[in-house]
Amino acid sequence: MAVDSLVGRIAGVSYLHIPARDITKSAAFYRDVFGWQLHGPPDGPSFSDGTGHVIGRWVTDQAVAGADGLRAYIYVADVDDTLDAITARGGQIVMPPYPEGTLRVALFADPAGNVLGIWQETSGSRGSR
């Protein structure tokens, strides 16, 4: 079996285990907020992110990351719209949007309590607020 060239990029992050308390709820959250594709059985799906470069699955045998440890940041078109979608689907805002150079960044907790970041580029015509 050949490795998919979108995923199998030398030195690229390609696979994640995302801790979950309720796999079905967490999978629906990432599907609905970020458009991730779900694969496999509904009670134990795997995913591919919006780019197809990262795949993974939700697991219940790992501690929720919370605010400590490795933190992933997801690039989005609009931080505010994404935060609205996050809170509407059971997530929480951990740190409201703040500027970081030409970026706009925010932190959120998913339904299990994992803390991740979202960011958008604000220079030029895209997403300046």
Side-chain angles (χ1 to χ4, degrees), residues 53-121:
H53 291 289
V54 179
I55 60 174
R57 64 186 180 100
W58 292 271
V59 296
T60 56
D61 62 347
Q62 289 179 238
V64 170
D68 296 326
L70 183 66
R71 178 170 300 142
Y73 287 78
I74 301 168
Y75 180 74
V76 298
D78 187 287
V79 166
D80 293 310
D81 288 348
T82 304
L83 289 174
D84 288 344
I86 286 167
T87 57
R89 289 165 179 85
Q92 296 181 337
I93 298 170
V94 172
M95 181 175 290
Y98 62 91
E100 194 169 293
T102 62
L103 308 179
R104 197 150 182 269
V105 182
L107 300 179
F108 72 93
D110 71 8
N114 295 298
V115 175
L116 293 92
I118 56 174
W119 66 282
Q120 74 181 83
E121 175 66 46

Side-chain angles (χ1 to χ4, degrees), residues 39-56:
H39 314 283
D43 60 342
S46 59
F47 69 84
S48 53
D49 75 350
T51 68
H53 291 289
V54 179
I55 60 174

Side-chain angles (χ1 to χ4, degrees), residues 11-32:
V13 173
S14 61
Y15 190 86
L16 299 174
H17 278 177
I18 300 176
R21 291 189 179 101
D22 178 329
I23 289 175
T24 303
K25 183 175 181 178
S26 289
F29 175 83
Y30 285 90
R31 179 197 62 213
D32 295 346

